[in-house]
Amino acid sequence: MFAGVSIRSASAEEIGVLETKLKADPDQRTSSVVRGVDIAGEHVFIIEYLGQVAGFCTYRSEPDEIFPLFIFTPFRRQGIGEEAMRQLIVLLQKDGRTEVFIEVINDAGPFWSKVFAGYQYTDHGFGKYTIQISK
């Protein structure tokens, strides 16, 4: 476990704060924190590092998808995203989820390979994967 990293559910107010921080971030790989809460059962998690908001991830219960995951620029390449995803996997397992869908975009392949090392997966092509997270 990477010390100092935690994930927790975001309130509606905190989602607004995340949207503001996202718009101010120099890297615009994603345009929004949420994309359709009512339609896809989206749940936003704040990623914190040493008490500071380092990023967020959105989990969609339909189709058990993690998208997007976004680490704010000053916090990148420190292992924060990897640890946050490991913690999310544990939460999903406790919730009875057995698989998760991801779409690897841009240069994120090595990142996701580290996160899901040792897990079985199905490659659907075009950077889309289903990962078996059941124990």
Side-chain angles (χ1 to χ4, degrees), residues 48-132:
E48 294 180 316
Y49 178 61
L50 300 175
Q52 296 182 322
V53 175
F56 65 90
C57 68
T58 302
Y59 171 76
R60 296 176 180 167
S61 60
E62 289 295 325
D64 290 320
E65 178 181 28
I66 300 171
F67 185 79
L69 163 65
F70 192 87
I71 303 297
F72 296 112
T73 300
F75 296 96
R76 290 196 182 149
R77 304 205 185 281
Q78 299 177 46
I80 296 167
E82 290 174 48
E83 177 58 25
M85 290 302 92
R86 287 185 191 106
Q87 290 180 27
L88 179 61
I89 291 166
V90 169
L91 290 174
L92 295 174
Q93 289 169 332
K94 286 180 181 177
D95 193 39
R97 304 296 178 172
T98 59
E99 63 184 24
V100 67
F101 180 81
I102 62 168
E103 183 174 353
V104 178
I105 57 174
N106 300 324
D107 55 352
F111 167 82
W112 289 111
S113 292
K114 288 180 197 174
V115 170
F116 290 114
Y119 289 93
Q120 292 184 350
Y121 65 91
T122 302
D123 183 344
H124 301 286
F126 305 103
K128 297 177 183 191
Y129 300 87
T130 301
I131 317 299
Q132 300 302 314

Side-chain angles (χ1 to χ4, degrees), residues 18-44:
L18 290 170
E19 290 282 2
T20 300
K21 286 181 69 79
L22 180 61
K23 286 180 176 69
D25 196 274
D27 181 358
Q28 297 296 311
R29 291 179 191 213
T30 190
S31 60
S32 181
V33 175
V34 291
R35 288 181 167 73
V37 174
D38 295 333
I39 298 169
E42 289 183 343
H43 188 89
V44 177

